[in-house]
Amino acid sequence: MRRFLVYFVLIGVGYILIQVALIQKFVLFLGHPTYALTVIIFSMLLSSGLGSFWSRRVIRGEPSRLRAALAGWLCW
């Protein structure tokens, strides 16, 4: 049980750290912190949702397809 909790906490921390770094860069690009925050959070939530949706279609519940997708991602 604790391993799952640590796993998801670390995923959340990584997600937030990436957001903070991107927000800092986009503040320079967009010129206002509110715009940067809005753009980054919206785009990350949208891309996470689309990735989840498309991965379900690619894998289709077959373990061999999951292994192939993960192997392709790791080699990329």
Side-chain angles (χ1 to χ4, degrees):
M1 177 72 172
R2 284 192 177 183
R3 294 175 80 185
F4 292 117
L5 180 62
V6 170
Y7 175 75
F8 285 108
V9 166
L10 290 176
I11 286 177
V13 168
Y15 200 82
I16 290 171
L17 290 175
I18 290 171
Q19 282 182 345
V20 168
L22 287 173
I23 288 169
Q24 288 176 347
K25 297 292 182 182
F26 270 72
V27 166
L28 298 173
F29 180 66
L30 296 174
H32 200 277
T34 306
Y35 298 150
L37 183 71
T38 304
V39 167
I40 294 302
I41 291 178
F42 173 76
S43 62
M44 286 188 74
L45 286 173
L46 182 67
S47 62
S48 295
L50 288 174
S52 176
F53 176 74
W54 287 110
S55 67
R56 191 178 335 159
R57 286 184 157 207
V58 169
I59 294 169
R60 294 187 192 148
E62 297 177 25
S64 61
R65 285 179 163 239
L66 176 61
R67 281 189 223 107
L70 290 175
W73 182 80
L74 290 174
C75 293
W76 181 68

